[in-house]
Amino acid sequence: MRPARVLLSAAVFAALLSGGASGQAQPGRVIFACTVQGSGKKVEVRDLGTGLSYAFGRDLSRPELRVTRPYSGWTRTPWKGIGRAIYDALNFTNGGVRYSVYSSHDRLDLTDRHGIWVEVPGRDPVELVCRNSTVITRIQGFDQVPEDRRD
């Protein structure tokens, strides 16, 4: 093997060990993932088998926010069967801030909308909308978490 190839192989191996080049794979099945419009930041919700993990940021191997809760620390807002949009949301609270990761399909104009609502007490809610081409969603019918009883 030539010296340049040996150096390249060593560099790739070192990057993989450190989690640099490929990042570190997170455990669990992806329930929701997308890239937020306008910011390039990503969001991901994973089912860990005993609870869910939420990660948000540009680099999900080192997210700006990671919250892991048992299923009982989340709620689900399912579609009630009325209205033009079929939707589902997974919700959790962190430090008094409520996060709702949602997927919605408009039955009349056949459009999809996915994103995160962030509700800080005393402020207007902020919606982070996903780029549809980046969305993975398995929220609908995910019944491992209790139904939200706020309504």
Side-chain angles (χ1 to χ4, degrees), residues 32-35 102-103 113-115 130-137:
F32 182 89
C34 77
T35 301
Y102 71 88
S103 286
R113 189 174 182 96
H114 313 274
C130 294
R131 288 196 331 243
N132 278 346
S133 63
T134 67
V135 172
I136 297 170
T137 184

Side-chain angles (χ1 to χ4, degrees), residues 9 20 22 24 27 32 35 43 49 52 63 76 90 93 95 109 111-113 115 121 145:
S9 296
S22 65
Q24 294 177 329
F32 182 89
T35 301
V43 64
L52 299 175
R76 180 171 157 257
L90 293 172
T93 302
D109 63 17
T111 57
D112 295 322
R113 189 174 182 96
V145 300

Side-chain angles (χ1 to χ4, degrees), residues 6-149:
V6 171
L7 285 175
L8 180 60
S9 296
V12 169
F13 183 69
L16 289 173
L17 284 178
S18 69
S22 65
Q24 294 177 329
Q26 298 298 315
R29 180 174 80 120
V30 173
I31 298 299
F32 182 89
C34 77
T35 301
V36 177
Q37 290 179 5
S39 74
K41 294 186 179 185
K42 297 176 172 111
V43 64
E44 185 176 78
V45 177
R46 288 183 171 270
D47 181 4
L48 305 176
T50 57
L52 299 175
S53 176
Y54 170 92
F56 176 81
R58 288 194 189 287
D59 178 1
L60 293 182
S61 67
R62 283 177 264 155
E64 295 172 32
L65 177 64
R66 181 180 307 278
V67 176
T68 301
R69 301 260 191 282
Y71 294 134
S72 62
W74 290 73
T75 60
R76 180 171 157 257
T77 307
W79 182 51
K80 304 285 191 238
I82 55 173
R84 67 185 277 172
I86 300 170
Y87 63 88
D88 262 296
L90 293 172
N91 318 292
F92 70 94
T93 302
N94 186 51
V97 178
R98 180 180 165 90
Y99 297 82
S100 296
V101 179
Y102 71 88
S103 286
S104 176
H105 174 74
D106 189 303
R107 297 184 300 161
L108 297 182
D109 63 17
L110 304 178
T111 57
D112 295 322
R113 189 174 182 96
H114 313 274
I116 307 99
W117 280 102
V118 180
E119 299 176 53
V120 177
R123 295 188 180 173
D124 290 336
V126 174
E127 180 183 24
L128 305 174
V129 179
C130 294
R131 288 196 331 243
N132 278 346
S133 63
T134 67
V135 172
I136 297 170
T137 184
R138 295 181 181 96
I139 292 176
Q140 286 185 330
F142 187 81
D143 59 1
Q144 301 292 338
V145 300
E147 192 170 315
D148 191 351
R149 300 288 182 201

